[in-house]
Amino acid sequence: MTTPSSTSLLSTADAKALCLRSMDIMVDGSLADFEAVVHPDAVNHEAKDEPPASRGKGPAAFHATALWLRDTFADLAFQVHQVVADGDLVAVHNTMSGRHVGPAVTYDAAGRVRQAFPPTGRTFATTQTHWFRLRDGKVVEHWANRDDLGTATQLGWVPPTPGYLLRTALATRKARRGVAPAGG
C-alpha cells in the first residue's frame, strides 16, 4: 500500500503514459523533453556503470544516459509488452533492441573507463523490466532488470574471439585516453 501524495493526482493511465514517454525519449528526445517528464531530484539507480554525467540527479543526468545509449546503438527501440501501475510505482516489461555502431563504454565507481567494447555492427533484442517511482507528476526514481548476458552474447562480446579481445583492449585504451578523470 502506498501513501497518498501529490503523485496520486495522476490517474493510472496517466502514470503509465508518463513512464512510457520517459522511455520513448531515450530514443530521440531532447533535454527539454526530459525536463517535461523527469523530476529535478530524479535518480537513475542503473547509472553506476554509465558516464559520470549520467550519475547526477534530474533531467540532465537522464538525458546523458540517452546520449550514451544513442552513441552506442543505432535503431534503438523499446517494444513494450506490459505496463502495470500501483500508486506511485510503475513497471514496464519490454524488449530493447538496436544495432551496435559505437563503442560500448562502461565506467568504474570513480567515473573512469572500465571497459570499451568496439562496435560489431550486430543487432540485439533482449528483455528488460524498468521500474519507475513518480512524484509531483514526474519520474523521480528508475531501476531496471536487464538481460545483459543475452545482449553481450548477441553482440558477439561473449564468448569473445581472440581478435575481438584485441579490439576490446585497443578500444578500452582509446576510450581511457579520451575521457578526463572524474573530478579533474
Side-chain angles (χ1 to χ4, degrees), residues 18 21-40 42 44 58-67 69-70 138-139:
L18 175 73
R21 177 72 181 136
S22 76
M23 292 178 69
D24 288 342
I25 62 178
M26 294 302 283
V27 174
D28 60 8
S30 67
L31 179 57
D33 292 324
F34 282 87
E35 290 168 343
V37 299
V38 176
H39 194 281
N44 176 9
F62 280 64
H63 186 241
T65 292
L67 296 176
L69 287 171
R70 293 175 204 167
K138 294 186 176 187
V139 171

Side-chain angles (χ1 to χ4, degrees), residues 40-70:
D41 293 328
V43 174
N44 176 9
H45 296 285
E46 302 307 313
K48 66 187 181 324
D49 298 317
E50 297 177 10
S54 301
R55 298 178 187 192
K57 289 186 175 187
F62 280 64
H63 186 241
T65 292
L67 296 176
W68 174 67
L69 287 171
R70 293 175 204 167

Side-chain angles (χ1 to χ4, degrees), residues 39-107:
H39 194 281
D41 293 328
V43 174
N44 176 9
H45 296 285
E46 302 307 313
K48 66 187 181 324
D49 298 317
E50 297 177 10
S54 301
R55 298 178 187 192
K57 289 186 175 187
F62 280 64
H63 186 241
T65 292
L67 296 176
W68 174 67
L69 287 171
R70 293 175 204 167
D71 285 346
T72 305
F73 303 115
D75 309 321
L76 186 63
F78 296 92
Q79 178 188 7
V80 175
H81 307 298
Q82 187 71 37
V83 184
V84 295
D86 181 19
D88 66 350
L89 191 63
V90 177
V92 178
H93 178 235
N94 68 278
T95 296
M96 180 178 158
S97 61
R99 187 169 39 88
H100 186 203
V101 296
V105 181
T106 62
Y107 298 81

